[in-house]
């Protein structure tokens, strides 16, 4: 896990992480083998860790309650990213993809 840069805070929420795979059909298909989850004292930060990402990029989005959502940076294969915290509460972590 250290090779991907996952910190101790992220490991505490790894059990609750939602593995996600996105595969679109058509000319702009993106395959992303990633996991997204929460971290922090109140579990209101978002992170994403990806294995293979083919044809595009992926990012994590925190679905924040009563506030604007927050996002990780866009990542390609074998990368990890995390971002700050929701102002109030995070309802869930969502993976988004975009084609190159």
């Amino acid at each position: 896990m250290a090779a991907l840069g996952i910190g101790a805070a992220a490991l505490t929420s790894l059990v609750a992480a939602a593995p996600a795979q996105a595969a679109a059909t058509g000319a702009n298909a993106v395959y992303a083998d990633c996991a997204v989850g929460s971290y922090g004292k109140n579990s209101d930060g978002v992170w994403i860790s990806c294995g293979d990402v083919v044809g595009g990029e992926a990012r994590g989005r925190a679905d924040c309650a009563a506030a604007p959502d927050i996002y990780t940076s866009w990542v390609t294969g074998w990368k990890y990213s995390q971002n700050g915290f929701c102002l109030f509460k995070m309802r869930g972590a969502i993976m988004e993809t975009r084609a190159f």
Side-chain angles (χ1 to χ4, degrees):
M1 291 291 186
L4 291 176
I6 296 175
L11 288 177
T12 60
S13 66
L14 191 57
V15 175
Q21 289 186 346
T25 57
N28 293 327
V30 176
Y31 171 80
D33 183 13
C34 303
V36 295
S38 62
Y39 74 96
K41 180 179 177 183
N42 298 317
S43 297
D44 55 1
V46 64
W47 61 267
I48 185 168
S49 181
C50 293
D52 287 328
V53 178
V54 180
E57 301 171 302
R59 72 177 176 184
R61 175 170 64 97
D63 182 14
C64 297
D69 292 348
I70 59 170
Y71 303 85
T72 66
S73 59
W74 289 101
V75 296
T76 54
W78 304 102
K79 297 281 176 28
Y80 169 85
S81 180
Q82 69 183 39
N83 198 6
F85 301 94
C86 293
L87 292 175
F88 301 104
K89 180 181 176 184
M90 183 171 82
R91 291 186 287 241
I94 301 163
M95 183 184 72
E96 298 180 344
T97 60
R98 71 176 177 191
F100 287 136

Coordinates of all heavy atoms in Angstrom, one line a residue:
M1 N 0.8 -1.2 0.0 CA 0.0 0.0 0.0 C 0.9 1.3 0.0 O 0.5 2.3 -0.6 CB -0.9 0.0 1.2 CG -2.0 -1.0 1.2 SD -3.2 -0.6 -0.1 CE -4.4 -1.8 0.2
A2 N 2.0 1.2 0.6 CA 2.8 2.4 0.7 C 3.3 2.9 -0.7 O 3.5 4.0 -0.9 CB 4.0 2.2 1.6
A3 N 3.5 1.9 -1.6 CA 3.9 2.3 -3.0 C 2.8 3.2 -3.6 O 3.2 4.0 -4.5 CB 4.1 1.0 -3.8
L4 N 1.6 3.0 -3.3 CA 0.5 3.9 -3.9 C 0.4 5.2 -3.1 O -0.4 6.0 -3.5 CB -0.8 3.1 -3.9 CG -0.9 1.9 -4.9 CD1 -2.2 1.2 -4.7 CD2 -0.7 2.4 -6.3
G5 N 1.0 5.3 -2.0 CA 0.9 6.5 -1.2 C -0.3 6.6 -0.3 O -0.7 7.7 0.1
I6 N -0.8 5.5 0.1 CA -2.0 5.5 1.0 C -1.5 5.7 2.4 O -0.7 4.9 2.9 CB -2.8 4.2 0.8 CG1 -3.3 4.0 -0.6 CG2 -3.9 4.1 1.9 CD1 -4.1 2.7 -0.8
G7 N -2.0 6.7 3.0 CA -1.6 7.1 4.4 C -2.4 6.3 5.4 O -3.3 5.6 5.1
A8 N -1.9 6.4 6.6 CA -2.6 5.6 7.7 C -4.1 6.0 7.8 O -4.9 5.2 8.1 CB -1.9 5.9 9.0
A9 N -4.4 7.3 7.6 CA -5.8 7.7 7.7 C -6.6 7.0 6.7 O -7.8 6.6 7.0 CB -5.9 9.2 7.6
A10 N -6.1 6.8 5.5 CA -6.9 6.2 4.4 C -7.0 4.7 4.7 O -8.1 4.1 4.4 CB -6.2 6.4 3.1
L11 N -6.0 4.1 5.4 CA -6.1 2.7 5.7 C -7.3 2.4 6.7 O -7.9 1.3 6.6 CB -4.8 2.1 6.2 CG -3.7 2.0 5.2 CD1 -2.4 1.6 5.8 CD2 -4.1 1.1 4.0
T12 N -7.6 3.3 7.5 CA -8.6 3.1 8.5 C -10.0 3.0 7.8 O -10.9 2.3 8.3 CB -8.7 4.2 9.6 OG1 -8.9 5.4 8.9 CG2 -7.4 4.2 10.3
S13 N -10.1 3.6 6.7 CA -11.4 3.5 6.0 C -11.4 2.6 4.8 O -12.4 2.5 4.1 CB -11.8 4.9 5.5 OG -11.0 5.4 4.5
L14 N -10.3 1.9 4.6 CA -10.2 1.0 3.5 C -11.2 -0.1 3.5 O -11.7 -0.5 2.5 CB -8.8 0.3 3.4 CG -8.4 -0.4 2.2 CD1 -8.5 0.5 1.0 CD2 -7.0 -0.9 2.3
V15 N -11.6 -0.6 4.7 CA -12.6 -1.6 4.8 C -13.9 -1.1 4.2 O -14.7 -1.9 3.6 CB -12.7 -2.1 6.2 CG1 -13.9 -3.1 6.4 CG2 -11.4 -2.7 6.7
A16 N -14.2 0.1 4.5 CA -15.5 0.7 4.0 C -15.4 1.3 2.6 O -16.4 1.8 2.1 CB -15.9 1.8 5.0
A17 N -14.3 1.1 1.9 CA -14.1 1.6 0.6 C -15.0 0.9 -0.4 O -15.3 -0.3 -0.2 CB -12.7 1.5 0.1
A18 N -15.5 1.6 -1.4 CA -16.3 1.1 -2.4 C -15.5 0.8 -3.7 O -15.1 1.7 -4.3 CB -17.5 2.0 -2.7
P19 N -15.2 -0.5 -4.0 CA -14.5 -0.7 -5.2 C -15.4 -0.4 -6.4 O -16.6 -0.7 -6.3 CB -14.1 -2.2 -5.1 CG -15.0 -2.8 -4.1 CD -15.4 -1.7 -3.2
A20 N -14.8 0.2 -7.4 CA -15.7 0.6 -8.5 C -15.0 0.3 -9.8 O -13.8 0.5 -9.9 CB -16.0 2.1 -8.4
Q21 N -15.7 -0.1 -10.7 CA -15.2 -0.3 -12.1 C -16.1 0.4 -13.0 O -17.3 0.1 -13.0 CB -15.0 -1.8 -12.5 CG -13.9 -2.5 -11.7 CD -13.7 -3.9 -12.2 OE1 -14.6 -4.4 -12.9 NE2 -12.6 -4.5 -11.8
A22 N -15.6 1.2 -13.9 CA -16.4 1.9 -14.8 C -16.0 1.5 -16.2 O -14.8 1.6 -16.5 CB -16.3 3.4 -14.7
A23 N -16.9 1.0 -17.0 CA -16.6 0.7 -18.4 C -17.7 1.1 -19.3 O -18.8 0.7 -19.2 CB -16.4 -0.8 -18.5
A24 N -17.4 2.1 -20.1 CA -18.4 2.6 -21.0 C -18.3 1.9 -22.3 O -17.2 1.3 -22.6 CB -18.2 4.2 -21.2
T25 N -19.3 2.0 -23.1 CA -19.2 1.4 -24.5 C -19.2 2.5 -25.5 O -19.6 3.6 -25.2 CB -20.4 0.5 -24.7 OG1 -21.6 1.3 -24.6 CG2 -20.4 -0.7 -23.8
G26 N -18.6 2.3 -26.6 CA -18.5 3.3 -27.6 C -17.1 3.8 -27.8 O -16.1 3.3 -27.3
A27 N -17.0 4.9 -28.6 CA -15.7 5.4 -29.0 C -14.9 6.0 -27.9 O -13.7 6.0 -27.8 CB -15.9 6.4 -30.1
N28 N -15.6 6.6 -26.9 CA -15.0 7.2 -25.8 C -15.0 6.4 -24.5 O -15.2 6.9 -23.4 CB -15.6 8.6 -25.5 CG -15.4 9.6 -26.6 OD1 -14.4 9.5 -27.2 ND2 -16.4 10.4 -26.8
A29 N -14.7 5.1 -24.6 CA -14.8 4.2 -23.5 C -13.6 4.4 -22.6 O -12.5 4.6 -23.0 CB -14.8 2.7 -24.0
V30 N -13.9 4.4 -21.3 CA -12.9 4.4 -20.2 C -13.1 3.2 -19.3 O -14.2 3.0 -18.8 CB -13.1 5.7 -19.4 CG1 -12.1 5.7 -18.2 CG2 -12.9 7.0 -20.2
Y31 N -12.0 2.5 -19.1 CA -12.1 1.4 -18.1 C -11.2 1.9 -16.9 O -10.1 2.2 -17.0 CB -11.4 0.1 -18.7 CG -11.3 -1.0 -17.6 CD1 -12.3 -1.7 -17.2 CD2 -10.0 -1.1 -17.0 CE1 -12.2 -2.7 -16.3 CE2 -9.9 -2.1 -16.0 CZ -11.0 -2.9 -15.7 OH -10.8 -3.8 -14.7
A32 N -11.8 1.9 -15.7 CA -11.1 2.3 -14.5 C -11.3 1.3 -13.4 O -12.5 1.1 -13.0 CB -11.6 3.7 -14.1
D33 N -10.3 0.7 -13.0 CA -10.3 -0.3 -11.9 C -9.8 0.4 -10.6 O -8.6 0.5 -10.3 CB -9.4 -1.5 -12.2 CG -9.4 -2.5 -11.1 OD1 -10.3 -2.5 -10.2 OD2 -8.6 -3.4 -11.1
C34 N -10.7 1.1 -9.9 CA -10.4 2.0 -8.8 C -11.2 1.7 -7.6 O -12.3 1.0 -7.7 CB -10.7 3.4 -9.2 SG -9.8 4.0 -10.7
A35 N -10.8 2.2 -6.4 CA -11.6 2.2 -5.2 C -11.6 3.6 -4.7 O -10.7 4.4 -4.8 CB -10.9 1.3 -4.2
V36 N -12.8 4.0 -4.2 CA -13.0 5.3 -3.6 C -13.5 5.1 -2.2 O -14.1 4.1 -1.8 CB -14.0 6.2 -4.4 CG1 -13.5 6.5 -5.8 CG2 -15.4 5.5 -4.5
G37 N -13.2 6.1 -1.3 CA -13.6 6.0 0.1 C -13.5 7.2 0.8 O -13.1 8.3 0.3
S38 N -13.8 7.2 2.1 CA -13.7 8.3 3.0 C -12.5 8.2 3.9 O -12.0 7.1 4.2 CB -15.0 8.5 3.8 OG -15.2 7.4 4.6
Y39 N -12.1 9.3 4.5 CA -11.0 9.3 5.5 C -11.2 10.5 6.4 O -12.0 11.3 6.2 CB -9.6 9.3 4.8 CG -9.2 10.7 4.3 CD1 -8.5 11.6 5.0 CD2 -9.6 11.1 3.0 CE1 -8.1 12.8 4.5 CE2 -9.3 12.3 2.5 CZ -8.5 13.2 3.3 OH -8.2 14.4 2.8
G40 N -10.4 10.5 7.5 CA -10.5 11.6 8.4 C -11.3 11.2 9.7 O -12.0 10.2 9.7
K41 N -11.2 12.1 10.7 CA -11.8 11.9 12.0 C -13.3 11.7 11.8 O -13.9 10.8 12.4 CB -11.5 13.0 12.9 CG -12.2 12.9 14.2 CD -11.8 14.1 15.1 CE -12.5 14.1 16.4 NZ -12.3 15.2 17.3
N42 N -14.0 12.5 11.0 CA -15.4 12.4 10.7 C -15.8 11.7 9.5 O -16.9 11.7 9.0 CB -16.0 13.8 10.7 CG -15.8 14.5 12.1 OD1 -16.0 13.9 13.1 ND2 -15.4 15.8 12.0
S43 N -14.8 11.0 8.8 CA -15.0 10.3 7.6 C -15.7 11.2 6.5 O -16.6 10.9 5.8 CB -15.9 9.1 7.8 OG -15.2 8.2 8.6
D44 N -15.2 12.5 6.4 CA -15.8 13.4 5.5 C -14.7 13.9 4.4 O -15.0 14.9 3.8 CB -16.4 14.6 6.2 CG -15.4 15.3 7.2 OD1 -14.3 14.9 7.3 OD2 -15.9 16.2 7.8
G45 N -13.6 13.2 4.3 CA -12.7 13.5 3.2 C -12.8 12.3 2.2 O -13.3 11.2 2.5
V46 N -12.4 12.6 0.9 CA -12.5 11.6 -0.1 C -11.2 11.2 -0.7 O -10.3 12.1 -0.8 CB -13.5 12.1 -1.2 CG1 -12.9 13.3 -1.9 CG2 -13.8 11.0 -2.3
W47 N -11.0 10.0 -1.0 CA -9.8 9.5 -1.7 C -10.1 8.5 -2.8 O -11.2 8.0 -2.8 CB -8.8 8.8 -0.7 CG -9.4 7.6 0.0 CD1 -10.0 7.6 1.2 CD2 -9.3 6.3 -0.4 NE1 -10.4 6.3 1.5 CE2 -10.0 5.5 0.5 CE3 -8.8 5.6 -1.6 CZ2 -10.1 4.1 0.4 CZ3 -9.0 4.3 -1.7 CH2 -9.6 3.5 -0.7
I48 N -9.2 8.3 -3.7 CA -9.3 7.4 -4.8 C -8.0 6.7 -5.0 O -6.9 7.4 -4.9 CB -9.8 8.0 -6.1 CG1 -10.1 7.0 -7.2 CG2 -8.8 9.1 -6.6 CD1 -10.8 7.5 -8.4
S49 N -8.0 5.4 -5.3 CA -6.8 4.7 -5.6 C -7.1 3.8 -6.7 O -8.1 3.0 -6.7 CB -6.4 3.8 -4.3 OG -5.2 3.1 -4.6
C50 N -6.3 3.9 -7.8 CA -6.6 3.1 -9.0 C -5.5 2.2 -9.4 O -4.3 2.4 -9.2 CB -6.7 4.1 -10.2 SG -8.2 5.2 -10.0
G51 N -5.9 1.0 -10.0 CA -5.1 0.1 -10.6 C -5.0 0.5 -12.1 O -4.6 1.6 -12.4
D52 N -5.5 -0.3 -13.0 CA -5.6 0.1 -14.4 C -6.6 1.1 -14.7 O -7.8 1.0 -14.2 CB -5.9 -1.2 -15.3 CG -4.7 -2.1 -15.3 OD1 -3.5 -1.7 -15.3 OD2 -4.9 -3.4 -15.4
V53 N -6.2 2.1 -15.4 CA -7.2 3.1 -16.0 C -6.8 3.2 -17.5 O -5.7 3.6 -17.8 CB -7.1 4.5 -15.3 CG1 -8.1 5.4 -16.0 CG2 -7.4 4.3 -13.8
V54 N -7.7 2.8 -18.3 CA -7.5 2.7 -19.8 C -8.4 3.7 -20.5 O -9.6 3.6 -20.3 CB -7.6 1.3 -20.3 CG1 -7.3 1.2 -21.8 CG2 -6.7 0.3 -19.5
G55 N -7.9 4.5 -21.4 CA -8.7 5.4 -22.2 C -9.1 6.7 -21.6 O -9.9 7.4 -22.1
G56 N -8.6 7.0 -20.4 CA -9.0 8.2 -19.7 C -8.5 8.4 -18.3 O -7.4 7.9 -18.0
E57 N -9.2 9.1 -17.5 CA -8.8 9.4 -16.1 C -10.0 9.2 -15.2 O -11.1 9.1 -15.6 CB -8.4 10.8 -16.0 CG -7.2 11.2 -16.9 CD -7.0 12.7 -16.9 OE1 -8.0 13.5 -17.2 OE2 -5.9 13.2 -16.5
A58 N -9.7 9.0 -13.9 CA -10.7 8.9 -12.9 C -10.5 9.8 -11.7 O -9.3 10.2 -11.5 CB -10.8 7.4 -12.4
R59 N -11.5 10.2 -11.0 CA -11.4 11.0 -9.8 C -12.5 10.6 -8.8 O -13.5 10.0 -9.2 CB -11.5 12.5 -10.1 CG -12.9 13.0 -10.4 CD -12.8 14.5 -10.6 NE -14.1 15.0 -11.0 CZ -14.4 16.3 -11.4 NH1 -13.4 17.2 -11.3 NH2 -15.6 16.7 -11.7
G60 N -12.2 10.9 -7.6 CA -13.2 10.7 -6.5 C -14.0 12.0 -6.3 O -13.4 13.1 -6.3
R61 N -15.2 11.8 -5.9 CA -16.1 13.0 -5.6 C -16.8 12.7 -4.3 O -17.3 11.6 -4.1 CB -17.2 13.2 -6.7 CG -18.1 14.3 -6.3 CD -19.0 14.8 -7.4 NE -19.9 13.8 -7.9 CZ -21.2 13.6 -7.5 NH1 -21.7 14.4 -6.6 NH2 -22.0 12.7 -8.0
A62 N -16.7 13.6 -3.3 CA -17.4 13.5 -2.1 C -18.8 14.2 -2.3 O -18.8 15.3 -2.6 CB -16.6 14.2 -1.0
D63 N -19.8 13.4 -2.1 CA -21.2 13.9 -2.1 C -21.4 14.6 -0.7 O -21.8 13.9 0.2 CB -22.1 12.8 -2.4 CG -23.6 13.3 -2.5 OD1 -23.8 14.5 -2.6 OD2 -24.5 12.4 -2.4
C64 N -21.2 15.9 -0.7 CA -21.3 16.6 0.6 C -22.7 17.1 0.9 O -23.4 17.5 0.0 CB -20.4 17.9 0.6 SG -18.6 17.5 0.4
A65 N -23.1 16.9 2.1 CA -24.5 17.4 2.5 C -24.4 18.9 2.8 O -23.5 19.4 3.4 CB -24.9 16.7 3.8
A66 N -25.4 19.6 2.2 CA -25.6 21.0 2.5 C -24.4 21.9 2.1 O -24.1 22.9 2.8 CB -26.0 21.3 3.9
A67 N -23.6 21.5 1.2 CA -22.4 22.2 0.8 C -22.0 21.7 -0.6 O -22.4 20.7 -1.1 CB -21.3 22.0 1.8
P68 N -21.1 22.5 -1.3 CA -20.6 22.0 -2.6 C -19.8 20.8 -2.4 O -19.1 20.6 -1.4 CB -19.7 23.2 -3.1 CG -20.2 24.4 -2.3 CD -20.7 23.9 -1.0
D69 N -19.9 19.9 -3.4 CA -19.1 18.7 -3.4 C -17.6 19.0 -3.6 O -17.2 20.0 -4.1 CB -19.5 17.7 -4.6 CG -20.9 17.2 -4.4 OD1 -21.5 17.3 -3.3 OD2 -21.4 16.6 -5.3
I70 N -16.7 18.1 -3.1 CA -15.3 18.2 -3.3 C -14.8 17.1 -4.1 O -15.4 16.0 -4.2 CB -14.5 18.3 -1.9 CG1 -14.8 17.1 -1.1 CG2 -14.9 19.6 -1.2 CD1 -13.9 17.0 0.1
Y71 N -13.7 17.3 -4.8 CA -13.1 16.3 -5.7 C -11.6 16.0 -5.5 O -10.9 16.9 -5.0 CB -13.3 16.8 -7.1 CG -14.7 17.2 -7.5 CD1 -15.2 18.4 -7.2 CD2 -15.5 16.2 -8.2 CE1 -16.5 18.7 -7.6 CE2 -16.8 16.5 -8.5 CZ -17.3 17.8 -8.2 OH -18.6 18.1 -8.6
T72 N -11.2 14.8 -5.8 CA -9.7 14.6 -5.8 C -9.3 15.1 -7.2 O -10.0 15.5 -8.1 CB -9.4 13.1 -5.7 OG1 -9.9 12.4 -6.9 CG2 -10.0 12.5 -4.5
S73 N -8.0 15.0 -7.4 CA -7.4 15.4 -8.7 C -7.7 14.2 -9.7 O -8.0 13.1 -9.2 CB -5.9 15.7 -8.7 OG -5.3 14.5 -8.1
W74 N -7.7 14.4 -11.0 CA -7.8 13.4 -11.9 C -6.6 12.5 -11.9 O -5.5 13.0 -11.9 CB -8.0 13.9 -13.3 CG -9.3 14.6 -13.5 CD1 -9.6 15.9 -13.5 CD2 -10.6 14.0 -13.8 NE1 -10.9 16.2 -13.7 CE2 -11.6 15.0 -13.9 CE3 -11.0 12.7 -13.9 CZ2 -12.9 14.7 -14.2 CZ3 -12.3 12.4 -14.2 CH2 -13.3 13.4 -14.3
V75 N -6.7 11.2 -11.9 CA -5.6 10.2 -11.8 C -5.7 9.3 -13.0 O -6.8 9.0 -13.5 CB -5.5 9.5 -10.5 CG1 -5.3 10.4 -9.3 CG2 -6.8 8.6 -10.2
T76 N -4.5 8.8 -13.4 CA -4.4 7.7 -14.4 C -4.0 6.4 -13.6 O -4.1 6.4 -12.4 CB -3.4 8.0 -15.4 OG1 -2.2 8.4 -14.8 CG2 -3.9 9.3 -16.3
G77 N -3.6 5.4 -14.3 CA -3.4 4.1 -13.7 C -2.3 4.1 -12.7 O -1.3 4.9 -12.7
W78 N -2.5 3.3 -11.6 CA -1.6 3.1 -10.5 C -1.3 4.4 -9.8 O -0.1 4.6 -9.4 CB -0.4 2.3 -11.0 CG -0.7 1.1 -11.7 CD1 -0.8 0.9 -13.0 CD2 -1.2 -0.1 -11.1 NE1 -1.2 -0.4 -13.3 CE2 -1.5 -1.0 -12.1 CE3 -1.4 -0.5 -9.8 CZ2 -2.0 -2.3 -11.9 CZ3 -1.9 -1.8 -9.5 CH2 -2.2 -2.7 -10.6
K79 N -2.3 5.2 -9.5 CA -2.1 6.4 -8.8 C -3.1 6.5 -7.7 O -4.2 5.8 -7.6 CB -2.3 7.6 -9.7 CG -1.3 7.7 -10.9 CD 0.0 8.3 -10.4 CE 1.1 8.4 -11.3 NZ 1.1 8.6 -12.6
Y80 N -2.8 7.4 -6.7 CA -3.7 7.7 -5.6 C -3.8 9.2 -5.4 O -2.9 9.9 -5.6 CB -3.0 7.0 -4.3 CG -3.7 7.4 -3.0 CD1 -4.8 6.8 -2.5 CD2 -3.2 8.5 -2.3 CE1 -5.4 7.1 -1.3 CE2 -3.8 8.9 -1.1 CZ -4.9 8.2 -0.6 OH -5.4 8.6 0.6
S81 N -5.0 9.6 -4.9 CA -5.2 11.0 -4.6 C -6.2 11.2 -3.5 O -7.1 10.3 -3.4 CB -5.7 11.8 -5.9 OG -5.9 13.1 -5.6
Q82 N -6.1 12.2 -2.7 CA -7.1 12.5 -1.7 C -7.2 14.0 -1.7 O -6.4 14.7 -2.1 CB -6.7 11.9 -0.3 CG -5.5 12.6 0.3 CD -5.2 11.9 1.7 OE1 -5.3 10.7 1.8 NE2 -4.8 12.7 2.6
N83 N -8.4 14.5 -1.1 CA -8.6 15.9 -1.0 C -9.2 16.2 0.3 O -9.6 15.3 1.1 CB -9.6 16.3 -2.2 CG -9.5 17.8 -2.4 OD1 -8.7 18.5 -1.8 ND2 -10.4 18.3 -3.3
G84 N -9.4 17.5 0.5 CA -9.9 18.0 1.8 C -11.2 17.4 2.3 O -11.5 16.3 2.0
F85 N -11.9 18.2 3.1 CA -13.1 17.7 3.8 C -14.4 18.4 3.4 O -14.3 19.6 3.1 CB -12.8 17.7 5.3 CG -11.6 17.0 5.7 CD1 -10.4 17.6 5.8 CD2 -11.7 15.6 6.0 CE1 -9.3 16.9 6.2 CE2 -10.6 14.9 6.3 CZ -9.4 15.5 6.5
C86 N -15.5 17.8 3.5 CA -16.8 18.4 3.4 C -17.0 19.4 4.6 O -16.5 19.1 5.7 CB -17.9 17.4 3.4 SG -18.0 16.3 1.9
L87 N -17.7 20.5 4.3 CA -17.9 21.4 5.4 C -18.8 20.8 6.5 O -18.6 21.1 7.7 CB -18.6 22.7 4.9 CG -17.8 23.5 3.9 CD1 -18.6 24.7 3.4 CD2 -16.6 24.1 4.7
F88 N -19.7 19.9 6.2 CA -20.6 19.4 7.2 C -20.4 17.8 7.2 O -19.6 17.3 8.0 CB -22.0 19.8 6.9 CG -22.2 21.2 6.9 CD1 -22.4 21.9 5.7 CD2 -22.3 22.0 8.1 CE1 -22.5 23.3 5.7 CE2 -22.4 23.3 8.1 CZ -22.6 24.0 6.9
K89 N -21.1 17.1 6.4 CA -21.1 15.7 6.4 C -21.0 15.2 4.9 O -21.5 15.8 4.0 CB -22.4 15.2 7.0 CG -22.5 13.7 7.1 CD -23.9 13.3 7.7 CE -24.1 11.8 7.7 NZ -25.4 11.4 8.2
M90 N -20.3 14.0 4.8 CA -20.2 13.4 3.4 C -21.2 12.3 3.4 O -21.2 11.4 4.2 CB -18.8 12.9 3.1 CG -18.7 12.3 1.8 SD -17.0 11.9 1.3 CE -16.8 10.3 2.0
R91 N -22.1 12.3 2.4 CA -23.1 11.3 2.2 C -22.5 10.0 1.6 O -23.0 8.9 1.8 CB -24.3 11.8 1.3 CG -25.1 12.9 2.0 CD -26.3 13.2 1.2 NE -25.9 14.1 0.1 CZ -26.3 15.3 -0.1 NH1 -27.2 15.9 0.7 NH2 -26.0 16.0 -1.2
G92 N -21.5 10.2 0.7 CA -20.8 9.1 0.1 C -19.7 9.5 -0.9 O -19.6 10.6 -1.2
A93 N -18.9 8.5 -1.2 CA -17.8 8.7 -2.2 C -18.2 8.1 -3.5 O -18.7 7.0 -3.6 CB -16.5 8.1 -1.7
I94 N -18.0 8.9 -4.6 CA -18.4 8.5 -5.9 C -17.2 8.6 -6.9 O -16.4 9.5 -6.8 CB -19.5 9.4 -6.4 CG1 -20.7 9.4 -5.5 CG2 -19.9 9.1 -7.9 CD1 -21.6 10.5 -5.7
M95 N -17.0 7.6 -7.8 CA -16.0 7.7 -8.8 C -16.6 8.3 -10.1 O -17.7 7.9 -10.5 CB -15.4 6.3 -9.1 CG -14.3 6.3 -10.1 SD -13.6 4.7 -10.6 CE -14.9 4.1 -11.6
E96 N -15.8 9.2 -10.7 CA -16.2 9.7 -12.0 C -15.0 9.4 -12.9 O -13.9 9.4 -12.5 CB -16.4 11.2 -11.9 CG -17.5 11.6 -10.9 CD -17.7 13.1 -10.8 OE1 -16.8 13.9 -11.2 OE2 -18.8 13.5 -10.4
T97 N -15.4 9.3 -14.2 CA -14.3 9.1 -15.3 C -14.6 10.1 -16.4 O -15.7 10.6 -16.6 CB -14.4 7.7 -15.9 OG1 -15.7 7.5 -16.4 CG2 -14.2 6.6 -14.8
R98 N -13.5 10.3 -17.1 CA -13.6 11.1 -18.4 C -12.6 10.5 -19.4 O -11.5 10.1 -19.0 CB -13.3 12.6 -18.1 CG -11.9 12.9 -17.8 CD -11.7 14.5 -17.7 NE -10.3 14.8 -17.3 CZ -10.0 16.0 -16.9 NH1 -10.8 17.0 -16.8 NH2 -8.7 16.2 -16.6
A99 N -13.0 10.5 -20.6 CA -12.1 10.0 -21.7 C -11.1 11.0 -22.1 O -11.3 12.2 -21.9 CB -13.0 9.6 -22.9
F100 N -10.0 10.5 -22.6 CA -8.9 11.4 -23.2 C -9.4 12.1 -24.4 O -10.2 11.7 -25.2 CB -7.7 10.7 -23.5 CG -6.9 10.2 -22.3 CD1 -6.4 9.0 -22.2 CD2 -6.7 11.1 -21.2 CE1 -5.6 8.5 -21.2 CE2 -5.9 10.7 -20.1 CZ -5.4 9.4 -20.1

